[in-house]
Amino acid sequence: MKKYIIYIGILTTGLISGWLLFGNSSNVEENHNHETSQTENQQWTCSMHPQIMQPEPGDCPICGMDLIPAETSADGLTANEFKMSTNALALANIETTVIGFNTTPKEGLFLVGKIKENEKTNAIQTAHFGGRIEKLFVNSTGEMVTKGQPLALIYSPELVTAQKELLTASEIKNSDVSLYNAVKNKLKLWKLSENQIHKIEKSKTIITNFPVYANVTGVVSTKMVEEGTYIKEGQGLFTIANLTTVWANFDAYEKQLSSIQLGDEIRITTNANPNKEFKAKISFIDPILNTLTRTVTVRAELNNPKGTLKPGMFIKGFITPSNTKNNQQKTLIIPKSAVLWTGERSVVYVKKEGLEPVFEMREVTLGNEIGNSYEILDGLYEQEEIVTNGTFTIDAAAQLQGKKSMMNTKSGNVITGHENHIGMQETSNLEETTNSIEQINVPLKFQQQLHEVLLAYLQVKDALVNDNSNVAQKEASILLKNLQLVDMKLLTENKSHKLWMTLLNKLTTSAKEIETTNDIKAQRNSFISLSNNITKSVESFGANQKVYKQFCPMANSDKGAIWLSLNENIENPYYGEMMLKCGVVQATIE
C-alpha cells in the first residue's frame, strides 16, 4: 500500500513540475507572439508631417525630426485612416484614379482678371485758374469728350482783374511794352490762347464767365465737381480716360509665377463675348505680392479702337509658357476634383492597397494650375490611387468616424469595433440622403417662372462677387418681384405645393434681408440661406438649364457654404476680390 502511495506522489510531483515548466512557456510564447505582431503592425509617423508613414523608427525625410509611433485603432488604422462599407461607397458614387507623371502637358495656364483703364493714357482735366463753377457742360461719367470741347464756365475774380490789367496795358503798350507783355504772358499761363487775348483787346469787354476746354479726347471716368463748387487753381475737374487701349489685369497666385514670363503670349476672352479671342503679350508682372490674396498682378495691353472692351469686365486668360524646358519636365498631375482646399492647406484622400476600402487623408502641396488639373509638389507619389469623385462624402465619413478630416486637423476619439460599424452606417445614411433628392415633375410654365427667379438670384450673386452691396440690394428687389410672379396654382399636387410654399417663405425672407441693408457682411450671411433654398428649389423642380453647385469650405465661419453658378469657373460671392477663387464645383444640376 505504501508503495502505491509513493508512486502516486511521484506522478503528481511530475505533473506539477511539467505544468510549471511548459504551461507558463506557452503563455509567454503567446504573449511574445502578440507583442511581435503588434510591433510588426506598428507604423511610425512625423508629428509635423503626418503624411509620412514608415514601418520602422527613424528620421522624417522632410524635416529630419525623430519619427513617433502612429496612433492606431483596434483595426490597426492610424488617425489619418478609416474604412467605409462597400454599400456606402456605392451610394456615394466614389471614383478613384491611379496618378502618374505627365511629361507633355497639353494645357497651359488659366488666369482670371478684369479689364482696367490704361493709366498711362488717363488725364486729369484741371482748372487753370481759381473761381466758382457757373455752368457744367459735362454732367455725368461715361460721356465722350473731344480735345478743345468746352467742359465748364468758371467765374474767376482773378481773371477779371487780369483782363482789366490787359486793357490798361494795351493802351500804353507803345510807351511800356514790357508791362504789356508781362500781363499778356500772365493770361497765357492761365491757358488763354492768343486769339482769346486778341478778342478781349479788340472788344474791350471783360469776360466774367470764362470757358475751360478739354485738353484730351476720351471718356469721362470721374467727375469731381458740381455747379456752384468753388475751386482752386490746379484743382481737378474730371478724369478723362482714353479707352483706345486698355489693360487686361490678371491675378496670378505665387505658385503660378514660375510659369509666367514677360513676353509670354496670352489669349484673352471676355464673359460678354466668350467666342471672340484677343491675343497680347505679358508686358508687366507686379514686383510686389498682395499678402492678403497671395496674388501678383500680371498685365497685358490690348488695343480697343471700337470700345468693345470696357473697364470692369471679367476676363479669362490662357498662357502657353515660353519656357519649354520647364514645361516639359516630369510633373505629377491630379484632377482638381480630388483636392479639398481650406484656404490654408490642401487635402486629398488616398485609397490604400488591399481588398478592404481603407482611405487615408493626405495633405499635399499644390503647384501650378494646369487646365482642370493641379501640379503636385509634395505629399503624393506615382501610382498611388486617389479619390477623384465624391471627395466631400469621403471627408464627411472621416468626420463621422472621429478621424482627421479637411477642417479637423486633430482626430477625435478613435471609433472601433461596434462604434465603427455605427459610424459607417451613419455615413451610409448620410450618403443615401444626399443622393436621393427626388426631382418632382412640375408644369413647364412653373419651371420657366422658377428660371426667372434663378436668373435674379445669379445677379445678386454676381453683385457680391464684385463686392458691390448697392447693386446686391437692387438685384434682391428684382428677385422678390420674380418670386411674387411665380404662380403656385400651377402646382396641383399637394407634395409639390407644400414644398414650394416652404421654400418660398425662406427665399423671400433671405431676399428681403439683402434688400434692406447695404452692409455686405450681413448680405453675405443672408446669401447662405438664400443659396441653400434656391438650390433645393432647382434640385426639386428642375433648373431648366445646366447649373453648377459650388462650395467654399471657409465660408460661414469655416462651416462651408454653397452657391449656384452658370459658369464652372469659381467666383466666390462670400469673399469677393479678397479670395475670388476659393471653392470647388461640388455638383452639376441638369
Side-chain angles (χ1 to χ4, degrees):
M1 186 66 178
K2 289 181 180 180
K3 189 187 297 183
Y4 289 116
I5 293 172
I6 292 171
Y7 289 156
I8 292 171
I10 293 171
L11 180 61
T12 303
T13 303
L15 288 172
I16 293 172
S17 301
W19 180 81
L20 291 173
L21 288 172
F22 298 104
N24 246 0
S25 172
S26 175
N27 288 341
V28 169
E29 184 177 353
E30 183 179 346
N31 289 336
H32 175 72
N33 289 339
H34 181 67
E35 290 172 3
T36 302
S37 175
Q38 281 187 331
T39 304
E40 288 176 355
N41 293 330
Q42 179 66 61
Q43 293 285 312
W44 299 78
T45 187
C46 174
S47 58
M48 298 298 294
H49 301 92
Q51 69 268 29
I52 299 298
M53 285 291 170
Q54 293 185 359
E56 298 176 352
D59 296 333
C60 174
I62 297 176
C63 64
M65 291 181 63
D66 291 337
L67 297 180
I68 61 174
E71 297 177 17
T72 59
S73 66
D75 293 331
L77 301 180
T78 68
N80 282 11
E81 298 175 343
F82 63 96
K83 288 182 182 179
M84 286 184 68
S85 66
T86 305
N87 186 42
L89 287 177
L91 287 170
N93 193 26
I94 303 298
E95 294 179 7
T96 59
T97 302
V98 177
I99 60 174
F101 285 108
N102 188 344
T103 55
T104 55
K106 297 180 181 179
E107 298 180 284
L109 194 65
F110 281 100
L111 300 175
V112 294
K114 290 182 181 179
I115 294 294
K116 189 179 178 183
E117 301 161 6
N118 185 343
E119 294 177 5
K120 294 179 181 178
T121 61
N122 280 358
I124 295 180
Q125 181 71 50
T126 60
H128 306 305
F129 42 83
R132 182 180 68 245
I133 296 179
E134 296 295 320
K135 178 70 175 177
L136 280 178
F137 297 113
V138 175
N139 293 302
S140 63
T141 57
E143 290 191 42
M144 185 74 187
V145 298
T146 55
K147 186 177 181 179
Q149 174 183 334
L151 300 177
L153 289 177
I154 299 177
Y155 168 72
S156 173
E158 291 179 329
L159 195 53
V160 169
T161 302
Q163 291 178 79
K164 291 178 180 179
E165 291 173 354
L166 174 66
L167 294 178
T168 303
S170 65
E171 292 176 357
I172 60 172
K173 67 180 177 181
N174 292 330
S175 59
D176 194 347
V177 178
S178 61
L179 176 63
Y180 171 75
N181 288 334
V183 173
K184 192 174 179 180
N185 288 334
K186 182 180 179 180
L187 291 172
K188 286 182 177 180
L189 289 173
W190 283 339
K191 300 298 182 181
L192 270 69
S193 66
E194 191 75 43
N195 289 335
Q196 288 175 312
I197 295 172
H198 179 70
K199 185 178 179 181
I200 294 170
E201 285 185 78
K202 187 176 179 180
S203 65
K204 297 186 183 300
T205 304
I206 303 297
I207 302 175
T208 54
N209 295 332
F210 219 88
V212 175
Y213 298 99
N215 295 333
V216 295
T217 297
V219 175
V220 176
S221 59
T222 309
K223 179 187 171 191
M224 307 175 189
V225 292
E226 301 290 345
E227 288 184 1
T229 303
Y230 281 86
I231 56 173
K232 297 179 181 180
E233 181 180 346
Q235 182 175 334
L237 305 177
F238 304 96
T239 301
I240 299 176
N242 187 337
L243 299 180
T244 54
T245 61
V246 291
W247 283 348
N249 279 2
F250 297 93
D251 293 325
Y253 290 98
E254 53 187 316
K255 63 193 175 186
Q256 297 175 319
L257 293 178
S258 61
S259 299
I260 304 173
Q261 294 182 5
L262 290 173
D264 282 350
E265 184 179 82
I266 181 167
R267 304 202 302 272
I268 301 169
T269 58
T270 65
N271 285 359
N273 189 2
N275 296 321
K276 186 173 182 180
E277 187 175 88
F278 302 86
K279 291 184 179 180
K281 301 280 187 182
I282 298 296
S283 58
F284 174 78
I285 300 175
D286 198 330
I288 300 174
L289 178 76
N290 185 326
T291 55
L292 291 176
T293 60
R294 309 304 301 174
T295 59
V296 165
T297 298
V298 175
R299 177 183 304 146
E301 188 171 312
L302 297 172
N303 291 323
N304 188 33
K306 296 182 180 179
T308 53
L309 298 172
K310 304 183 186 302
M313 274 186 171
F314 283 112
I315 53 176
K316 298 176 184 176
F318 177 82
I319 299 176
T320 303
S322 58
N323 189 342
T324 54
K325 182 178 179 181
N326 289 340
N327 195 36
Q328 291 179 355
Q329 66 185 10
K330 277 193 170 185
T331 312
L332 197 61
I333 299 295
I334 67 170
K336 287 183 180 178
S337 60
V339 180
L340 298 177
W341 184 60
T342 68
E344 296 180 355
R345 60 196 185 107
S346 303
V347 172
V348 300
Y349 280 94
V350 180
K351 187 177 184 297
K352 307 293 287 186
E353 293 183 3
L355 298 176
E356 293 186 338
V358 175
F359 297 92
E360 175 193 354
M361 188 200 76
R362 189 88 59 81
E363 289 190 31
V364 295
T365 304
L366 300 181
N368 292 326
E369 180 180 344
I370 304 174
N372 290 320
S373 302
Y374 284 121
E375 176 187 2
I376 295 297
L377 302 180
D378 186 40
L380 288 174
Y381 304 95
E382 188 179 15
Q383 297 303 310
E384 285 195 295
E385 189 175 356
I386 64 171
V387 177
T388 54
N389 186 64
T391 320
F392 281 100
T393 305
I394 289 286
D395 190 74
Q399 293 182 45
L400 285 170
Q401 296 186 38
K403 299 287 186 164
K404 291 183 180 180
S405 61
M406 177 176 67
M407 302 307 297
N408 179 29
T409 57
K410 296 181 180 180
S411 61
N413 297 326
V414 178
I415 302 171
T416 60
H418 178 65
E419 293 174 342
N420 191 37
H421 172 74
I422 295 173
M424 286 191 286
Q425 183 63 44
E426 288 176 351
T427 305
S428 173
N429 293 340
L430 173 67
E431 292 155 357
E432 188 172 3
T433 302
T434 304
N435 288 275
S436 62
I437 295 176
E438 179 185 355
Q439 187 164 345
I440 302 171
N441 290 325
V442 294
L444 178 60
K445 188 174 181 180
F446 180 85
Q447 276 193 342
Q448 292 170 342
Q449 292 172 354
L450 182 59
H451 184 254
E452 294 301 316
V453 172
L454 173 63
L455 293 179
Y457 158 84
L458 293 170
Q459 293 299 318
V460 177
K461 184 263 296 181
D462 288 342
L464 296 177
V465 166
N466 294 325
D467 299 315
N468 196 325
S469 59
N470 292 329
V471 173
Q473 280 185 287
K474 294 177 183 177
E475 298 300 340
S477 298
I478 297 173
L479 173 58
L480 285 168
K481 291 177 183 177
N482 287 354
L483 284 169
Q484 293 172 1
L485 293 175
V486 176
D487 186 2
M488 65 181 69
K489 294 179 181 177
L490 295 170
L491 302 176
T492 55
E493 292 185 5
N494 184 52
K495 180 180 179 181
S496 58
H497 188 89
K498 186 176 179 180
L499 175 60
W500 174 245
M501 285 291 293
T502 302
L503 293 172
L504 177 62
N505 288 334
K506 294 178 179 179
L507 289 168
T508 302
T509 300
S510 302
K512 282 182 177 178
E513 288 173 351
I514 296 173
E515 182 196 31
T516 53
T517 180
N518 62 357
D519 181 349
I520 197 163
K521 185 176 181 181
Q523 289 177 337
R524 283 170 169 155
N525 285 335
S526 300
F527 189 71
I528 296 171
S529 174
L530 183 68
S531 296
N532 288 338
N533 290 295
I534 197 72
T535 301
K536 290 178 184 176
S537 299
V538 298
E539 285 178 335
S540 300
F541 302 117
N544 215 18
Q545 72 176 102
K546 191 174 184 180
V547 180
Y548 295 98
K549 180 180 176 182
Q550 299 175 335
F551 175 82
C552 172
M554 295 184 68
N556 194 18
S557 302
D558 287 337
K559 297 175 185 175
I562 60 171
W563 72 93
L564 296 183
S565 176
L566 299 182
N567 194 332
E568 193 173 4
N569 184 43
I570 298 295
E571 291 176 350
N572 193 316
Y574 296 109
Y575 290 102
E577 190 69 26
M578 186 174 70
M579 284 196 297
L580 185 65
K581 311 311 293 179
C582 178
V584 293
V585 175
Q586 195 178 50
T588 303
I589 305 171
E590 299 289 347

